[in-house]
Amino acid sequence: MQVLVLGAGFGGLELTTRLSDELGDDVDVVLVDRTEGFVFGFSKLEVMFGREERAGVFHPYRDLVKPGVRFVQADVVAIDPDAKRVETDAGTFQADVLVVALGAALDPGATPGLVEGGHEFYTEEGAFALRDVLASFPGGRVVVGVTSAPFKCPPAPSETALLLHDLLTERGVRERSSIALVMPMPTPIPPSPEASKAILAGFEERGIDWYPQRLVRGLDPARGVALLGKDEELPYDLFLAVPVHRAPSVVVDSGLTVDGWIPVDPLTLETRFPDVYAVGDVTSVGTPKAGVFAEGQAAVVADRLVARVRGGEQSAQYGGQGLCYLQFGRDQVAKVEVTFLSGQTPVGGLQGPSAALVADKAEFGRSRVRRWFGREWPAEPASAP
Ligand SMILES: Cc1cc2nc3c(=O)[nH]c(=O)nc-3n(C[C@H](O)[C@H](O)[C@H](O)COP(=O)(O)OP(=O)(O)OC[C@H]3O[C@@H](n4cnc5c(N)ncnc54)[C@H](O)[C@@H]3O)c2cc1C
């Protein structure tokens, strides 16, 4: 069986790893991505807040050496889901099964005034560039704002506000600064009232102002204000945005999307095109846009394809479970476990925040790098001669 996987993020990496582990050379997998390597979403915050170097959080695809898998660095420029044929700038690919895992594209230019008068921290470039901006910020009014919904990793703006408090405190400029957080939801993590309560208590204790149920529609850099609603404005000296998210244009142009994202069967991840699957942020499957959910969906697709190759029953179904480690600042991490089942109210519980969970979060990343790239992260120190 030939499987063509578009996108080597959380979803694409998990899918190809599982297929290779289970089938080895009995499957022919081509994995396509335009970039040279993978960076975890949470590592963007680590670099932005000066806790990690860029080189330390970059996982090159050249390390991806797996039986049955060929990585191709290329830009996907057209997808024909009927023919399962894909045009890239490195040639045309066709397969028996096509899996779209191209994630969500980010569009800072879609928010008036943002490119001229603010910063975004969701792309690698944006987050990495903010490192110097934050290190030299003299203090003032900081606004962290979400500009559209849905957006990736709903806890990330809250984490950013909490980490910002620590950084400005360490730098001795917190007292002459304010931090405001603008989010579209009524609570920081709606499926987990317990986690939301802990985060709101954390905001209150640190003097972080919380503006729920609003989006930032634009910035007026000349006046230094963020425009929230018709009559609501928030003055800022430093604006940190979650930019507008949408499906990559190549996906929209392919006819796979409905209302902006790819609809899939929530149990099997099949699209309406035979033998075309979609996983992760590019779908409207009903889970939040987060790596753990992309990974869980990819695992189900892999299990179904393995069963198909072996002639067994394709019984694996997606259960909507995910867990999220939340940077709480003050060297503490909280763990939120959430289950999203189609047609049911999502439920989630909270552990921590605690210093002990810092190691759990590190192991979450380490275990993925070990499985996906076959190496230790951080690299093991060279043994003594
Ligand atoms: C600041 C931040 C913190 C986060 N923290 C967490 C966290 O703690 N836990 C968590 O689970 N999630 C977290 N996330 C979310 C997580 O990063 C994403 O939800 C996850 O990566 C989605 O996986 P995916 O496979 O759907 O897409 P992605 O991982 O985005 O992968 C898509 C891939 O497709 C490639 N691509 C796109 N278009 C093309 C094209 N035309 N041609 C070729 N290649 C293309 C991209 O280069 C990319 O590698 C965070 C995100 C951010 C921004």
Side-chain angles (χ1 to χ4, degrees):
M1 183 166 64
Q2 291 177 316
V3 183
L4 179 56
V5 183
L6 307 181
F10 252 95
L13 287 166
E14 179 66 18
L15 179 68
T16 46
T17 300
R18 284 218 178 207
L19 289 177
S20 176
D21 285 354
E22 292 294 324
L23 299 172
D25 289 325
D26 291 343
V27 67
D28 175 3
V29 181
V30 172
L31 174 62
V32 182
D33 201 290
R34 57 157 65 118
T35 61
E36 279 180 24
F38 175 73
V39 173
F40 286 103
F42 54 77
S43 294
K44 294 176 187 169
L45 298 185
E46 296 295 315
V47 175
M48 170 174 160
F49 285 102
R51 298 152 159 245
E52 292 277 0
E53 297 297 325
R54 179 187 183 275
V57 301
F58 182 74
H59 307 287
Y61 292 130
R62 69 174 133 74
D63 288 357
L64 237 170
V65 183
K66 294 186 182 299
V69 179
R70 179 160 66 100
F71 175 73
V72 176
Q73 188 180 353
D75 216 324
V76 175
V77 294
I79 302 169
D80 178 343
D82 278 314
K84 287 170 281 172
R85 191 172 51 236
V86 171
E87 308 285 338
T88 78
D89 60 1
T92 303
F93 296 86
Q94 193 150 15
D96 303 315
V97 174
L98 175 64
V99 186
V100 183
L102 289 169
L106 302 170
D107 187 2
T111 303
L114 174 57
V115 175
E116 306 87 290
H119 304 263
E120 59 80 19
F121 61 98
Y122 260 47
T123 66
E124 270 162 56
E125 313 80 66
F128 294 176
L130 268 165
R131 181 191 178 103
D132 290 343
V133 174
L134 294 180
S136 58
F137 180 58
R141 296 159 300 183
V142 189
V143 176
V144 180
V146 177
T147 60
S148 80
F151 63 98
K152 298 190 218 197
C153 194
S158 300
E159 293 178 283
T160 301
L162 292 164
L163 292 173
L164 203 53
H165 169 84
D166 281 8
L167 183 81
L168 298 182
T169 305
E170 274 160 35
R171 293 201 41 244
V173 297
R174 179 65 178 103
E175 278 180 14
R176 53 173 184 271
S177 301
S178 61
I179 302 174
L181 174 59
V182 182
M183 300 243 290
M185 301 96 84
T187 58
I189 304 185
S192 174
E194 222 184 329
S196 293
K197 199 172 150 201
I199 294 171
L200 289 175
F203 289 166
E204 194 169 340
E205 200 192 326
R206 293 160 176 85
I208 294 169
D209 303 318
W210 158 247
Y211 291 84
Q213 293 178 293
R214 297 160 170 88
L215 285 170
V216 175
R217 309 272 174 203
L219 301 185
D220 183 342
R223 292 195 297 127
V225 291
L227 311 166
L228 307 192
K230 236 182 176 177
D231 301 317
E232 204 178 7
E233 296 184 343
L234 210 50
Y236 72 88
D237 298 301
L238 178 63
F239 185 83
L240 307 179
V242 174
V244 169
H245 287 45
R246 48 174 65 114
S249 52
V250 67
V251 175
V252 177
D253 295 346
S254 72
L256 275 161
T257 56
V258 174
D259 295 334
W261 305 98
I262 305 180
V264 289
D265 180 315
L267 298 178
T268 65
L269 290 313
E270 291 164 306
T271 69
R272 65 191 172 89
F273 295 89
D275 290 331
V276 179
Y277 294 81
V279 298
D281 289 357
V282 75
T283 70
S284 50
V285 64
T287 55
K289 297 198 181 302
V292 281
F293 295 110
E295 179 185 287
Q297 292 153 25
V300 169
V301 175
D303 289 352
R304 296 183 74 86
L305 295 180
V306 169
R308 177 167 153 182
V309 168
R310 292 184 176 152
E313 198 193 334
Q314 298 186 52
S315 55
Q317 293 196 331
Y318 184 55
Q321 284 100 3
L323 65 84
C324 158
Y325 290 99
L326 195 106
Q327 281 282 6
F328 229 84
R330 298 180 179 164
D331 295 324
Q332 300 216 327
V333 163
K335 183 174 169 182
V336 184
E337 284 181 82
V338 197
T339 301
F340 283 79
L341 273 178
S342 184
Q344 294 181 22
T345 308
V347 284
L350 172 79
Q351 280 180 45
S354 75
L357 285 169
V358 173
D360 267 46
K361 180 179 159 79
E363 182 51 29
F364 173 86
R366 253 201 310 271
S367 60
R368 269 65 187 174
V369 172
R370 203 177 291 134
R371 285 192 327 100
W372 296 342
F373 295 95
R375 65 178 176 81
E376 289 304 312
W377 180 49
E380 282 169 330
S383 51

